[in-house]
Amino acid sequence: MAMQTIHRLKLPVTLRFRQSDGSEREEQITELTLRRPTAKDLRVVDSFGGQMVGMMIALIAALSGQTVEVIERLDAEDFGDLSDVVGDFLPDGPKTGPID
């Protein structure tokens, strides 16, 4: 599996910054690069107590190097796609069912 995945956003996020001279500058985020998580990254799962959306926002932010505030501004479809990418990075859970 790749060490990182580049996801092109279907709906880019535009950030606005106020300069020291009072003018505004815009920056558009058109893609996010997600690296594979480390065990330390996965500790975030413990702190969310089953709140899946909050946990996924925090993981995407950590793996992309973006702030939580940027990830919260993603379009729902992009967020879902990025959640799938993160899910693909994670190992399968324990097997369930009868033991043979």
Side-chain angles (χ1 to χ4, degrees):
M1 181 171 281
M3 295 304 288
Q4 64 183 20
T5 298
I6 298 172
H7 174 77
R8 186 167 236 10
L9 298 176
K10 292 178 175 86
L11 187 66
V13 174
T14 301
L15 305 176
R16 290 180 180 81
F17 301 95
R18 183 164 306 279
Q19 310 276 39
S20 59
D21 66 0
S23 65
E24 285 192 5
R25 175 178 66 86
E26 287 189 357
E27 179 181 323
Q28 195 170 63
I29 299 172
T30 59
E31 65 183 27
L32 292 178
T33 301
L34 274 66
R35 63 175 172 76
R36 290 182 56 80
T38 64
K40 182 178 179 180
D41 294 319
L42 298 179
R43 292 186 95 185
V44 74
V45 174
D46 294 339
S47 64
F48 280 89
Q51 298 175 12
M52 295 302 292
V53 173
M55 177 200 67
M56 193 56 70
I57 289 170
L59 272 174
I60 292 169
L63 301 180
S64 68
Q66 291 292 337
T67 64
V68 167
E69 291 78 19
V70 168
I71 303 307
E72 288 176 333
R73 294 182 59 196
L74 291 173
D75 178 75
E77 188 174 359
D78 284 316
F79 178 73
D81 292 345
L82 286 161
S83 296
D84 290 342
V85 170
V86 171
D88 289 345
F89 283 146
L90 302 177
D92 292 335
K95 304 253 187 247
T96 59
I99 299 175
D100 294 327

